Amino acid sequence: MRLLTVTTAVLCALLFVQAGRAESPDAMPSIEHFNPEQVDKSLDPCTDFFQYTCAKWVKANPIPADQTTSDTFTKLVIWNVAALRNTLEDASKATNRTPVQQKAGDYYASCIDEAAVNKAGIAPFQPTIDRIAKMESKSELPEILASIHQMIRPANLNFIDAQYQGVLFGLYSSPDFDNAQVTLATIDQSGMGLPGREFYLNDDDKSKGIRDQYLKHIARMLELSGETPAQSAADAQSVLGLETVLAKAAMDIVVRRDPKNLNNKMSLEQVQALTPSFNWNRYFTAMQVPAAPHYLVTSPDFFRGIEKLLSSEPIDHWRAYLRYSTMTLMAPFLSQSIVEENFDFYGRQLNGARQLQPRWRRCSLNADADLGEAVGQAYVAKYFPPENKERMLEMVKAIETALHQDIDAAAWMSPGTKQFAHAKLAAQVDKIAYPDHWQDYSAVVIKRDDFFGNVARSAHFEIDRRMAKVGKPADRQEWAMTPPTVNAYEDAQTNTINFPAGILQPPFFDAKEIDAVNYGAIGMVIGHEITHGFDDQGRKFDAEGNLKDWWTATDAANYDERDQCIQEEYTQEVPEAGVKQNGKLSAGEDTADNGGTHLALAALQNTLKAQGKDLDTAAPDGLTESQNFFLALANVWCGANRPEAARTAVMTQGHSLNRYRVNNVLANMPEFAHAFGCHAGQPMVHANSCRVW
Ligand SMILES: [Zn+2]
């Protein structure tokens, strides 16, 4: 699953990413609209277009104390979360509630009651501590681990959502790479508290400093769980040692990008042979995983690494590891001192946030994470105008048409490969705003006075739901994001593109704006997701979502040559992050950014042509249509990160930072140079401009 931008589903992100200033809890924050006057006319658009468009925006929108980023995405998240809060408060106070309102309202009420949560202290987590403490033999691990995996959010069991954070390994269901009609139980690497394996293995001073801080954090958390200072200091060493072995065994993040490296189907006997000391049959039984001929093991070496740990680490190291790693995932739902300690490391140290965001915002985000499709119903009813769906669909169709035309025009592709590409594009399912059928949460018990229990029961329900899919065909209508999410994704195995209602608001989608502005903003996002189906990894999947090569050798070689240009262009120093970007890691996202922009512009051109206009026609604001397009595009990427957050982002995930999502793309486009009168030799005109789609 490829996302538009950093997902807000990451557990620790819930604590700090979308924080806001101390506005009155009753006021809705303002929503932004495109404003071409915001540019800094003292700057030359051909030198640094991001700076030209965004310098004033960045100055006017400093990063608030409880944020790690200030950009149009996070501003819209803040608006959406305030909208959510309104619906949740209504649901918590209403009388004669529907079952959906009861779940959403009582969940929120249980979370917002900070006094009750603080009074409970560590108590809700104590049974888990006790169970781990009583573990006498490593042979008890399957059942203990299963009880933990049924309590933590399933997002923490899924690599894509969770990066690495989880407990020992991840478990989820995903379509068989060779046959999307069958869903497999999948086990994956996980169980590390730092954001990537490099954080354990790199030897530079910055990495060592982070590990020192992490060690102290682990010890403080263990102390908060009731250990003595001496015990917690010793246990922290054991935890870091164990996680470091996991990191060494884990598959490299670039190697993971290629689906064929993840496609390791194994029988239960073969899985068992990877880790003879861990009884998988008992674990799968405890997790209610339906028996199946095959399981997907994304990184077999990782599980061989677990076997080594099972023989090398004494039982007390395992107890310490389970206690810490489970507690860190449940920390946001415990009392204030534990929440603060968790935020201090993940928010402050690792990402540069200065303070925790207000509780009402955390509670709204938690409700969205745990009961998303219950919470989302009132949100879309109140805040998403149905007519937006129609105009959105029109744009999606226009951009798909532009890709059909682009495929036809590609001189480097043979007719046979083109035919497969057209068929794949035609089979893509376009999902807009929210699901046609809402998920049924009637089996989840939500109590008004039990926040921790509500989180744990929601998690248990969700992992059961995921495991129940094993053996069945992939459901193409299901959503992996909740309606208020400000993001979008493409899923190669269901061949779908998905745009939640949360991103279909200004400045991304603005019903009052001209086509040029909407195509530059949300149109580029649509084009980005469509292009993912044809990026360096997406192109390996066919129309049915199967990993099946439909390229001739010559066409594939031609593709790789174009891809190589993108990889080299984006292998670049990122001064604001203090690290070098790896173009091999970000190639798919960069291809989607470039392709998406080309396709959105081509779709705009087609739309204007039907109206007797072209890209050079003057729009009502006096700028040309294409100038409006490029300014609106850059505008939605305006923003800045704290250096800590920028470093973590460049090191651990595939998206380029916003500045490069604008400048690198536009400098590849002659249409941009034409629109702003840029000429060869200027920074915004690449001598060797890359183009895949
Ligand atoms: Zn993407």
Side-chain angles (χ1 to χ4, degrees):
M1 188 174 103
R2 269 74 60 83
L3 313 167
L4 173 70
T5 183
V6 192
T7 173
T8 53
V10 179
L11 173 101
C12 34
L14 289 176
L15 285 173
F16 55 83
V17 171
Q18 320 83 358
R21 26 189 126 209
E23 71 252 25
S24 137
D26 297 324
M28 280 294 284
S30 61
I31 202 153
E32 285 215 2
H33 295 271
F34 171 64
N35 173 17
E37 288 305 306
Q38 162 202 287
V39 301
D40 186 340
K41 289 183 177 140
S42 72
L43 300 174
D44 181 355
C46 301
T47 302
D48 182 341
F49 193 68
F50 179 85
Q51 202 64 13
Y52 173 76
T53 314
C54 297
K56 283 189 177 172
W57 191 99
V58 170
K59 205 168 169 200
N61 294 277
I63 306 173
D66 51 5
Q67 287 193 335
T68 64
T69 297
S70 174
D71 62 13
T72 55
F73 283 81
T74 47
K75 285 194 87 172
L76 183 53
V77 170
I78 285 166
W79 186 87
N80 277 340
V81 175
L84 261 188
R85 188 250 347 254
N86 289 345
T87 65
L88 287 164
E89 282 188 348
D90 288 351
S92 78
K93 288 173 197 152
T95 46
N96 293 327
R97 298 183 294 181
T98 64
V100 168
Q101 281 178 313
Q102 182 272 323
K103 306 274 184 215
D106 285 352
Y107 180 103
Y108 184 77
S110 73
C111 176
I112 206 73
D113 189 353
E114 192 165 23
V117 172
N118 286 341
K119 196 172 162 219
I122 192 78
F125 188 61
Q126 194 62 46
T128 307
I129 293 177
D130 294 344
R131 180 151 194 203
I132 294 167
K134 283 190 199 119
M135 184 171 90
E136 282 170 6
S137 154
K138 286 178 258 181
S139 68
E140 295 168 44
L141 262 175
E143 284 79 14
I144 289 183
L145 201 60
S147 70
I148 291 168
H149 284 176
Q150 285 166 334
M151 176 172 70
I152 61 176
R153 278 189 181 147
N156 297 112
L157 292 169
N158 184 335
F159 179 85
I160 299 157
D161 291 336
Q163 316 275 332
Y164 290 94
Q165 210 175 16
V167 181
L168 196 55
F169 58 83
L171 172 74
Y172 47 93
S173 59
S174 60
D176 183 339
F177 280 113
D178 302 307
N179 177 11
Q181 290 305 302
V182 178
T183 301
L184 299 178
T186 302
I187 53 173
D188 202 346
Q189 63 194 36
S190 178
M192 293 160 265
L194 292 174
R197 65 195 290 273
E198 300 75 17
F199 282 73
Y200 294 89
L201 308 179
N202 285 1
D203 239 2
D204 56 285
D205 288 346
K206 178 80 187 169
S207 302
K208 284 182 193 159
I210 289 174
R211 288 197 290 273
D212 285 346
Q213 290 165 350
Y214 184 47
L215 204 55
K216 289 181 190 134
H217 162 69
I218 299 170
R220 282 193 296 264
M221 282 292 271
L222 288 171
E223 255 193 89
L224 287 165
S225 80
E227 287 191 358
T228 64
Q231 184 67 45
S232 64
D235 281 351
Q237 296 284 355
S238 309
V239 173
L240 183 60
L242 203 146
E243 289 187 8
T244 305
V245 176
L246 292 178
K248 283 181 185 155
M251 189 185 280
D252 172 75
I253 193 168
V254 173
V255 178
R256 278 187 69 92
R257 289 198 62 237
D258 189 338
K260 80 171 186 315
N261 294 331
L262 305 177
N263 189 14
N264 309 296
K265 271 185 287 188
M266 295 187 179
S267 66
L268 184 60
E269 291 67 36
Q270 288 171 310
V271 176
Q272 191 57 61
L274 294 172
T275 50
S277 307
F278 182 85
N279 188 315
W280 284 98
N281 193 30
R282 278 169 38 210
Y283 171 76
F284 285 142
T285 302
M287 290 302 289
Q288 299 184 47
V289 179
H294 292 107
Y295 300 79
L296 189 66
V297 183
T298 54
S299 44
D301 281 345
F302 181 79
F303 290 92
R304 291 186 187 104
I306 289 181
E307 177 64 22
K308 273 186 214 150
L309 281 173
L310 284 167
S311 58
S312 68
E313 300 296 308
I315 184 85
D316 57 319
H317 290 191
W318 280 98
R319 284 192 211 108
Y321 170 75
L322 294 178
R323 182 177 180 135
Y324 168 72
S325 58
T326 309
M327 184 171 168
T328 198
L329 295 174
M330 301 310 284
F333 323 121
L334 290 164
S335 54
Q336 188 65 16
S337 55
I338 299 167
V339 169
E340 280 286 355
E341 178 54 42
N342 188 49
F343 170 77
D344 186 61
F345 182 70
Y346 286 104
R348 275 192 199 96
Q349 317 262 21
L350 218 46
N351 283 290
R354 311 277 156 87
Q355 71 188 47
L356 201 58
Q357 63 183 328
R359 187 162 186 96
W360 65 263
R361 189 175 281 136
R362 284 180 276 143
C363 289
S364 303
L365 288 162
N366 280 325
D368 180 50
D370 283 332
L371 301 170
E373 290 193 15
V375 171
Q377 293 179 35
Y379 165 82
V380 295
K382 195 165 175 185
Y383 295 100
F384 183 73
E387 58 271 21
N388 285 7
K389 198 165 178 169
E390 279 162 52
R391 190 159 169 205
M392 204 29 211
L393 204 54
E394 254 171 56
M395 293 176 72
V396 171
K397 292 294 167 206
I399 293 167
E400 285 170 350
T401 300
L403 181 52
H404 279 299
Q405 292 169 341
D406 197 53
I407 291 165
D408 280 333
W412 53 276
M413 279 173 97
S414 66
T417 305
K418 284 183 182 184
Q419 215 177 329
F420 278 110
H422 283 305
K424 175 170 179 174
L425 181 55
Q428 191 170 62
V429 173
D430 311 321
K431 282 149 68 187
I432 293 164
Y434 53 88
D436 291 339
H437 301 286
W438 298 101
Q439 217 181 97
D440 176 9
Y441 293 97
S442 52
V444 192
V445 176
I446 298 295
K447 299 179 185 168
R448 210 173 167 91
D449 59 356
D450 183 13
F451 175 45
F452 187 93
N454 289 340
V455 174
R457 284 187 295 272
S458 304
H460 196 161
F461 167 80
E462 178 60 18
I463 189 68
D464 286 354
R465 195 186 70 81
R466 292 184 185 199
M467 287 306 118
K469 293 194 264 181
V470 169
K472 296 178 183 157
D475 178 2
R476 302 181 75 188
Q477 295 306 322
E478 193 187 354
W479 282 71
M481 281 180 185
T482 65
T485 306
V486 184
N487 210 333
Y489 70 96
E490 180 264 354
D491 182 357
Q493 290 178 281
T494 51
N495 195 13
T496 59
I497 51 172
N498 306 266
F499 306 94
I503 198 172
L504 305 181
Q505 298 283 355
F508 294 89
F509 177 90
D510 196 338
K512 293 193 183 76
E513 271 296 351
I514 60 170
D515 285 329
V517 168
N518 279 314
Y519 274 102
I522 196 73
M524 180 276 188
V525 171
I526 298 167
H528 174 103
E529 301 307 340
I530 292 174
T531 304
H532 268 317
F534 302 86
D535 72 18
D536 64 331
Q537 306 306 327
R539 74 173 186 85
K540 297 173 180 172
F541 293 86
D542 69 8
E544 281 76 46
N546 298 326
L547 189 57
K548 196 167 159 188
D549 192 2
W550 44 273
W551 295 70
T552 66
T554 311
D555 292 346
N558 287 341
Y559 186 101
D560 289 344
E561 194 184 312
R562 282 166 169 71
D563 180 45
Q564 186 64 28
C565 180
I566 299 265
Q567 287 187 18
E568 284 167 15
E569 178 183 337
Y570 284 84
T571 298
Q572 57 190 345
E573 292 298 338
V574 182
E576 59 270 53
V579 282
K580 192 171 184 179
Q581 181 171 345
N582 180 356
K584 284 190 189 341
L585 176 61
S586 59
E589 295 301 335
D590 300 330
T591 300
D593 283 347
N594 279 273
T597 305
H598 275 286
L599 296 177
L601 185 66
L604 172 64
Q605 209 168 1
N606 290 339
T607 306
L608 292 170
K609 200 172 165 192
Q611 301 164 359
K613 296 188 262 186
D614 62 29
L615 292 172
D616 291 332
T617 305
D621 61 8
L623 299 166
T624 66
E625 296 281 0
S626 63
Q627 284 172 338
N628 271 299
F629 173 91
F630 289 117
L631 286 168
L633 183 148
N635 174 64
V636 297
W637 297 103
C638 283
N641 300 309
R642 295 198 192 279
E644 296 89 340
R647 181 179 184 276
T648 303
V650 174
M651 283 180 67
T652 60
Q653 40 114 353
H655 301 93
S656 297
L657 295 186
N658 291 11
R659 174 187 298 276
Y660 309 93
R661 297 187 81 159
V662 173
N663 284 353
N664 288 30
V665 170
L666 302 191
N668 282 329
M669 295 179 75
E671 298 91 337
F672 170 78
H674 171 78
F676 287 91
C678 307
H679 50 77
Q682 290 185 290
M684 285 303 299
V685 182
H686 282 168
N688 174 27
S689 70
C690 303
R691 172 90 193 253
V692 180
W693 301 109

